């Protein structure tokens, strides 16, 4: 089978009369196959089985892996806790000072759970052939914050920008190598999650996030591999910084006005979002979920590059009735 041309895929979505949906969701698939979050984030086969189950059940425009922002930090040596049915999290602080940054080594791709994630992506790319498969990775600023502490990295960029840039360069180098390895599995792109950069001003977001992401984009994005930049921390103040990366698609969180975001995204790039994964997907009634979905579709109807999505990864224990309501609303809108 010939490799999917992602530039053509994006163009087809833009030219299409109907809106397509690409919610970021894996947790419902984990529950469908009777496994725990811990099982999926530690075992590539289980992770893949969840992705596959979801791709068979829902008419998504693409399949996505778990948005796990601890994989790369663990590879560097950070301590991770693994609750049975919640996403993993980083404990404490790997780097205590500038000297630790200087001594920090960029890890090999066989560290931590990286091999399990590469396995999940390889299996998904091999068997899900009716739509693109998007891998996941963290962004450089968000990774630096997980290694150095989120509050401390924000201070470091002002107190010692040289040390901050040194850490960001190491993070970026590792993410680039990881993205190259993900690309080699045969997946069609990567959703790069950079939520911590949303805490920065547009200018600082450009300087301490976008310039590093742009370098990665320039090295990995091509006709067959798309970078989707996700920043759910952006409330509208740093969309320009996101667009400066040159990614082919942008994924927005529920805190932003999606119409305002669409105004700043180039017409030939996809803009995805942004229904609240917690208050809507997880906690709302199906009726409220459906109405919110229809409202968003109505508000964005004049933007052909809009892709309907969740504002972030849908959490564990998201009711299937709400996912069904989401797709029912899309179907109703497209057939109106």
């Amino acid at each position: 089978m010939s490799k999917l041309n992602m530039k053509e895929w994006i163009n087809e979505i833009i030219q299409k009369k109907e809106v397509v949906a690409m919610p970021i969701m894996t947790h419902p698939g984990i529950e469908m196959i009777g496994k725990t979050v811990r099982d999926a984030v530690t075992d590539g086969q289980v992770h893949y089985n969840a992705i596959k189950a979801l791709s068979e059940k829902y008419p998504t425009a693409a399949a996505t892996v778990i948005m796990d922002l601890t994989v790369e930090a663990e590879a560097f040596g950070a301590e991770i806790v693994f609750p049975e049915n919640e996403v993993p999290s980083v404990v404490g602080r790997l780097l205590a000072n500038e000297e630790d940054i200087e001594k920090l080594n960029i890890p090999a791709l066989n560290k931590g759970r990286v091999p399990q994630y590469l396995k999940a992506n390889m299996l998904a790319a091999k068997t899900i052939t009716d739509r693109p498969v998007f891998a996941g990775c963290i962004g450089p600023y968000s990774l630096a914050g997980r290694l150095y502490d989120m509050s401390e990295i924000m201070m470091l960029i002002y107190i010692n920008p040289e040390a901050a840039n040194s850490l960001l360069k190491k993070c970026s180098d590792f993410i680039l190598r990881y993205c190259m390895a993900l690309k080699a599995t045969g997946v069609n792109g990567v959703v790069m999650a950079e939520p911590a950069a949303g805490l920065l001003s547009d200018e600082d977001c450009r300087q301490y996030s976008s310039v590093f992401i742009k370098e990665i984009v320039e090295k990995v994005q091509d006709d067959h591999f798309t970078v989707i930049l996700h920043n759910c921390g952006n409330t509208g103040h740093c969309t320009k910084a996101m667009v400066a990366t040159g990614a082919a698609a942008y994924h927005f969180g529920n805190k932003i006005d999606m119409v305002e975001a669409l105004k700043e995204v180039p017409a030939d790039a996809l803009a995805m979002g942004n229904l609240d994964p917690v208050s809507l997907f997880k906690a709302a009634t199906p009726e409220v979920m459906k109405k919110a979905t229809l409202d968003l579709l109505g508000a964005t109807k004049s933007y052909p590059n809009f892709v309907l999505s969740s504002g972030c990864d849908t959490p564990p224990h998201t009711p299937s009735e709400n996912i069904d309501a989401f797709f029912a609303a899309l179907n109703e809108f497209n057939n109106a």
Side-chain angles (χ1 to χ4, degrees):
M1 182 177 165
S2 62
K3 207 161 183 205
L4 188 63
N5 186 306
M6 292 306 291
K7 286 184 179 173
E8 287 176 9
W9 179 78
I10 290 169
N11 193 46
E12 277 170 24
I13 287 174
I14 294 168
Q15 299 301 323
K16 226 177 182 174
K17 178 182 166 284
E18 298 83 15
V19 178
V20 300
M22 195 191 102
I24 309 288
M25 60 176 189
T26 320
H27 295 290
I30 298 168
E31 288 149 22
M32 278 164 62
I33 62 169
K35 296 292 184 179
T36 66
V37 176
R38 192 191 294 152
D39 293 333
V41 298
T42 56
D43 185 327
Q45 181 70 48
V46 173
H47 189 166
Y48 154 71
N49 290 345
I51 300 165
K52 180 69 172 162
L54 279 172
S55 74
E56 288 169 354
K57 184 170 182 181
Y58 295 110
T60 54
T64 58
V65 306
I66 298 171
M67 195 177 277
D68 181 347
L69 305 187
T70 63
V71 177
E72 297 88 347
E74 183 185 33
F76 271 94
E79 186 186 343
I80 312 296
V81 288
F82 297 94
E84 193 173 17
N85 280 303
E86 297 295 335
V87 290
S89 58
V90 175
V91 182
R93 187 176 167 187
L94 181 69
L95 309 171
N97 50 48
E98 287 93 328
E99 282 176 25
D100 286 351
I101 292 172
E102 207 175 305
K103 291 186 285 190
L104 184 68
N105 291 318
I106 300 168
L109 291 171
N110 62 357
K111 298 295 182 187
R113 290 169 293 135
V114 170
Q116 292 302 323
Y117 273 68
L118 292 173
K119 179 181 179 180
N121 281 281
M122 183 186 67
L123 291 168
K126 195 174 176 184
T127 61
I128 302 169
T129 55
D130 62 339
R131 70 197 79 180
V133 175
F134 286 107
C137 75
I138 197 170
Y141 185 79
S142 299
L143 176 55
R146 275 162 175 73
L147 298 176
Y148 198 74
D149 180 82
M150 213 57 79
S151 302
E152 296 292 336
I153 190 74
M154 288 190 81
M155 287 198 285
L156 190 68
I157 64 175
Y158 298 113
I159 296 164
N160 190 341
E162 196 178 314
N165 276 301
S166 172
L167 175 56
L168 285 161
K169 182 77 173 73
K170 289 181 180 186
C171 291
S172 188
D173 285 353
F174 178 72
I175 293 164
L176 171 61
R177 286 167 51 201
Y178 186 33
C179 283
M180 295 296 278
L182 288 166
K183 187 175 182 177
T185 67
V187 295
N188 307 96
V190 64
V191 179
M192 181 184 287
E194 183 69 319
L199 300 168
L200 303 172
S201 66
D202 189 75
E203 187 185 340
D204 285 341
C205 185
R206 285 172 190 259
Q207 188 176 349
Y208 296 105
S209 172
S210 298
V211 292
F212 295 98
I213 294 171
K214 190 172 192 283
E215 282 183 22
I216 296 168
V217 168
E218 286 171 352
K219 288 184 171 78
V220 300
Q221 186 167 271
D222 56 27
D223 287 359
H224 303 290
F225 193 85
T226 290
V227 177
I228 301 171
L229 178 58
H230 166 83
N231 183 344
C232 59
N234 174 23
T235 58
H237 62 286
C238 59
T239 305
K240 287 183 174 71
M242 288 177 69
V243 171
T245 62
Y250 303 92
H251 194 278
F252 298 95
N254 53 282
K255 299 288 188 214
I256 202 168
D257 181 322
M258 197 67 217
V259 175
E260 292 303 310
L262 279 156
K263 290 175 184 174
E264 298 193 75
V265 172
D268 61 348
L270 298 180
M272 305 174 168
N274 72 330
L275 293 162
D276 193 322
V278 178
S279 72
L280 287 171
F281 273 93
K282 184 173 181 175
T285 62
E287 293 75 22
V288 170
M289 181 78 221
K290 188 177 180 184
K291 184 183 183 302
T293 306
L294 285 169
D295 288 348
L296 179 60
L297 287 164
T300 55
K301 66 184 177 188
S302 57
Y303 293 91
N305 60 332
F306 172 67
V307 174
L308 181 66
S309 185
S310 50
C312 203
D313 206 352
T314 56
H317 316 301
T318 294
S320 59
E321 294 83 2
N322 286 356
I323 302 169
D324 292 342
F326 168 86
F327 283 106
L330 177 67
N331 194 45
E332 186 178 305
F333 179 83
N334 281 333
N335 289 307

